[in-house]
Amino acid sequence: MNHSALYLVTDPAVKQMNPDQNAFMEFERLYYVTNPINRHVNLIGEKALREPSDELNFIFGVPTMKDVAKLVKHDRAFRQAVMEVNDKIDSEDEIRMDMIVRLVSIDELLGFLDGASKLFSYIGDVSERFITPYPKQILIQEGPYKWDDEGCYYKEVLPSTTID
């Protein structure tokens, strides 16, 4: 699993103060994680995948990605469930980790944010601003995005240079 991506970006907030200045920003990869046995799905930031985490333990019943890899490799019921969910594969030999953990797409992210926003407005004060439950600067399949506190949404950040 790769580490966070560092981009040289043209940030509009920085450009307003100094038109000749760019800024380096770090973006945390945001992953779509799914357990094919219980169909539990969640979005997890890269930092939570690097160390033992409650999020992984809740989804898979194991706390680390090494343990998840062992499930994929050795747990027959888990492997069968992966095959049932992924109709594109015909044998257990074709199972890959990206069928379990992969970068989230913008559509998936929007679906999760919509659900979180509805839950927030249901249990909280609607006059309060919605705060994303995910990292503020994320890297997803479509590229880097940054949370806009004013508009309460992720906006695309156009990188000048990627430094991985």
Side-chain angles (χ1 to χ4, degrees), residues 11-12 29 39 42-43 71 83 86 92 96 98 107 132 151 163:
D11 188 339
R29 287 176 170 83
R39 307 282 203 254
N42 204 352
L43 303 185
L71 286 175
M83 288 182 59
N86 294 284
E92 291 184 8
R96 301 179 317 273
D98 67 347
D107 291 336
T132 179
I163 302 169

Side-chain angles (χ1 to χ4, degrees), residues 104-120:
V104 68
S105 71
I106 189 68
D107 291 336
E108 293 161 338
L109 174 62
L110 292 175
F112 273 82
L113 286 173
D114 183 51
S117 175
K118 286 177 182 171
L119 181 63
F120 179 78

Side-chain angles (χ1 to χ4, degrees), residues 77-124:
F78 193 88
R79 295 174 67 74
Q80 287 295 327
V82 171
M83 288 182 59
E84 289 172 17
V85 171
N86 294 284
D87 55 351
K88 297 176 186 173
I89 61 174
D90 298 320
S91 77
E92 291 184 8
D93 295 335
E94 297 176 64
I95 295 173
R96 301 179 317 273
M97 277 301 289
D98 67 347
M99 295 174 175
I100 313 303
V101 178
R102 61 176 168 70
L103 280 179
V104 68
S105 71
I106 189 68
D107 291 336
E108 293 161 338
L109 174 62
L110 292 175
F112 273 82
L113 286 173
D114 183 51
S117 175
K118 286 177 182 171
L119 181 63
F120 179 78
S121 65
Y122 177 74
I123 62 174

